[in-house]
Amino acid sequence: MTSLERPAPAELVERINRLRHRRRAYIIAHNYQVPEVQDIADFVGDSLTMARAAAKAEAEVVLVCGVHFMAETAKLLNPDRTVLEPDPHAGCPMADMITPKELAEAKSRHPDAAVVAYVNSSADVKAMTDVCCTSANAVAVVQSIPPERPILFVPDESLGEYVAEKTGRRNIILWPGFCPTHHRILAEHIEARRSQRPDAEVLVHPECTREVRHMADFVGSTSQIIRRVAESPRRAFIIATELGVCHTIRKQNPTKTILQVSRLADCPNMKLNTLEKVLWSLEDLVHPVTVPEDTASAARQAIERMLAIS
Ligand code: CIZ
Ligand code: SF4
């Protein structure tokens, strides 16, 4: 039995359920969380739909089970609520691959460029950005920028390269950031799964390498991959993104065969959140996320510009 199949300890779940009502807490979880955390969440989705769902909920406390930039995004869209993260050490290495100082230097090298930042970035970086994007809307965001204007795309080189391929734009300046988890997915992993099920549809996240992306039948964000499996007439699917997403897909499609591309596609940061930490978080109202107001208002504008586009 893999850890993905471990049943959630009933007592922990019961204590979380009692406390969440007392605290008037709304629990949001990312598609990459461990199954038992996804299963106790009020909402499971990608970073943006999580933050938007929280904004609509009647709650005093928003508990974000994801990584730090997701908790920051939730705070930006829920400024008057207490936003908590179960483990403050759950960061995203890709988001850390660009600092505000590095972005300031890059902007001074490309003063005419529009800065597009993937949501996988800090609030400080978002605040220095013209517009944000997610993996679901990056193509639309880039297409909204006049074709003659250069674009500085940060921090994910793979997503930026995918967008350049889709839009045919040659004036996108890429930043050399990457997701260590998605880059661990190799062409040979897809080949191995394909030899198991040659009829399977190959679904790939745009954070994967070019070689892997070019083997895909479908490239999309986690929400797009989840939707595609539900809508596709095929019976088997190879899922080339972080393995947590297979939990939702299997729950929604019990009669389809879901092949996780590789056990290596595991984000250790996402997996820092556990039911125990969720409980501690609700007991002690830890760990609150704060974003200084001047940073928050600039970062919020970059997110709102994105929301106006897609
Ligand atoms: O925006 C997100 O939630 C991320 C990081 C991935 C995705 O494709 O949903
Ligand atoms: Fe960051 Fe990659 Fe983990 Fe997502 S899967 S949180 S991009 S390291």
Side-chain angles (χ1 to χ4, degrees):
M1 190 179 264
T2 68
S3 64
L4 274 180
E5 293 153 358
R6 213 176 64 222
E11 197 207 321
L12 269 176
V13 173
E14 212 179 286
R15 285 169 65 188
I16 289 170
N17 285 339
R18 258 183 271 134
L19 254 184
R20 75 202 300 170
H21 295 299
R22 181 138 40 95
R23 294 286 193 212
R24 292 179 36 82
Y26 189 70
I27 304 177
I28 53 181
H30 193 264
N31 291 317
Y32 295 162
Q33 290 293 289
V34 289
E36 56 267 36
V37 169
Q38 291 191 33
D39 288 344
I40 53 102
D42 294 298
F43 181 87
V44 182
D46 59 33
S47 55
L48 193 68
T49 55
M50 281 160 69
R52 289 169 106 176
K56 277 195 241 142
E58 278 185 32
E60 279 167 27
V61 171
V62 178
L63 178 59
V64 184
C65 301
V67 290
H68 185 64
F69 78 80
M70 296 177 179
E72 277 188 336
T73 305
K75 182 66 185 174
L76 295 175
L77 299 188
N78 294 271
D80 302 326
R81 291 181 170 141
T82 300
V83 174
L84 304 175
E85 52 191 343
D87 189 325
H89 302 293
C92 167
M94 182 211 282
D96 294 339
M97 287 178 193
I98 185 160
T99 63
K101 185 166 174 277
E102 287 167 330
L103 180 54
E105 284 163 7
K107 282 171 72 161
S108 67
R109 284 196 301 277
H110 305 284
D112 301 333
V115 181
V116 177
Y118 188 25
V119 281
N120 295 37
S121 54
S122 67
D124 290 327
V125 163
K126 289 187 178 79
M128 298 167 65
T129 290
D130 292 294
V131 57
C132 287
C133 73
T134 68
S135 43
N137 62 23
V139 171
V141 167
V142 163
Q143 278 169 336
S144 76
I145 296 166
E148 62 286 356
R149 183 148 187 223
I151 293 174
L152 178 57
F153 191 97
V154 300
D156 188 13
E157 187 170 27
S158 298
L159 178 63
E161 192 183 64
Y162 168 70
V163 172
E165 284 170 7
K166 289 291 276 187
T167 59
R169 276 180 88 131
R170 292 171 183 272
N171 55 354
I172 303 182
I173 303 144
L174 300 174
W175 187 263
F178 66 97
C179 165
T181 297
H182 283 86
H183 275 216
R184 243 177 263 134
I185 300 172
L186 304 177
E188 65 208 55
H189 298 140
I190 302 213
E191 294 297 2
R193 292 299 193 213
R194 262 192 184 148
S195 63
Q196 262 174 282
R197 280 295 295 251
D199 61 322
E201 188 167 325
V202 178
L203 310 182
V204 172
H205 196 278
E207 287 175 22
C208 290
T209 62
R210 186 191 314 150
E211 192 184 9
V212 168
R213 275 194 332 267
H214 287 180
M215 296 171 83
D217 296 308
F218 178 91
V219 177
S221 68
T222 55
S223 336
Q224 290 167 336
I225 288 175
I226 291 169
R227 204 174 320 128
R228 175 68 200 159
V229 176
E231 289 170 358
S232 170
R234 296 242 210 140
R235 306 306 307 157
F237 301 85
I238 297 166
I239 309 294
T241 186
E242 210 280 344
L243 50 79
V245 88
C246 293
H247 180 60
T248 302
I249 297 177
R250 289 191 178 117
K251 265 197 345 198
Q252 290 181 1
N253 303 278
T255 62
K256 296 183 178 177
T257 302
I258 309 303
L259 302 169
Q260 174 203 304
V261 70
S262 158
R263 292 190 57 80
L264 298 177
D266 191 358
C267 175
N269 304 285
M270 284 283 178
K271 302 303 185 289
L272 285 175
N273 298 322
T274 60
L275 284 182
E276 285 83 352
K277 289 181 194 170
V278 167
L279 179 63
W280 297 334
S281 208
L282 291 171
E283 277 174 345
D284 297 337
L285 292 180
V286 289
H287 301 269
V289 179
T290 55
V291 182
E293 190 38 44
D294 51 342
T295 305
S297 66
R300 204 177 296 121
Q301 274 181 36
I303 292 180
E304 277 162 7
R305 277 188 214 114
M306 165 183 81
L307 296 177
I309 295 163
S310 61

